[in-house]
Amino acid sequence: HGSRSVARRTFDSSKQAMRRGFHSARRQVRTQLRAQGGRSRSTGTQVYRRLFRNTPTFVTVTLLAGIPMAFLYNNTMETLWNINNQGKLFHQVIPQRFPNLPPGTGDDD
């Protein structure tokens, strides 16, 4: 029972020493950044503070990014579909299977 408490105290003191070391290193980095005129903020924090903190700005950014992404996704999927189904598409098959269509049954252009 006595050796357990000694081991526990040793573990706790080493844990505290690790915490002190971590916090000390963190303080040192912050001090260096401030000395260089920089701030210790991550890119994610900066994006959040500038774009997503305010609801109207969030909605605007989402719409402005979402609409072009929808068109890009649609064009990409359509291109992949056409590449994978080359020779099987309706406008490619009909002229081959029915070369002599009666008059008035052509394209509706």
Side-chain angles (χ1 to χ4, degrees):
H1 179 20
S3 64
R4 261 179 136 182
S5 62
V6 171
R8 183 69 185 168
R9 275 183 279 160
T10 306
F11 176 73
D12 286 343
S13 64
S14 64
K15 201 166 144 183
Q16 288 170 355
M18 284 175 37
R19 273 196 206 125
R20 278 193 303 267
F22 172 74
H23 291 298
S24 170
R26 199 169 170 193
R27 255 185 257 114
Q28 187 178 15
V29 168
R30 261 191 260 139
T31 305
Q32 288 173 352
L33 283 171
R34 283 191 193 122
Q36 296 170 358
R39 297 192 78 163
S40 59
R41 287 201 182 123
S42 69
T43 304
T45 303
Q46 291 176 0
V47 168
Y48 169 76
R49 287 187 177 195
R50 294 179 198 275
L51 301 177
F52 300 125
R53 199 175 207 179
N54 189 337
T55 302
T57 308
F58 173 79
V59 170
T60 303
V61 168
T62 303
L63 289 175
L64 290 176
I67 292 171
M69 290 303 292
F71 283 112
L72 178 67
Y73 180 80
N74 183 41
N75 288 337
T76 302
M77 291 301 117
E78 190 171 333
T79 301
L80 288 173
W81 180 266
N82 289 336
I83 289 170
N84 287 327
N85 292 299
Q86 192 66 33
K88 304 174 198 172
L89 300 172
F90 186 80
H91 68 276
Q92 296 167 343
V93 172
I94 293 298
Q96 292 173 359
R97 297 207 49 201
F98 305 101
N100 300 321
L101 290 174
T105 60
D107 290 341
D108 291 336
D109 294 335

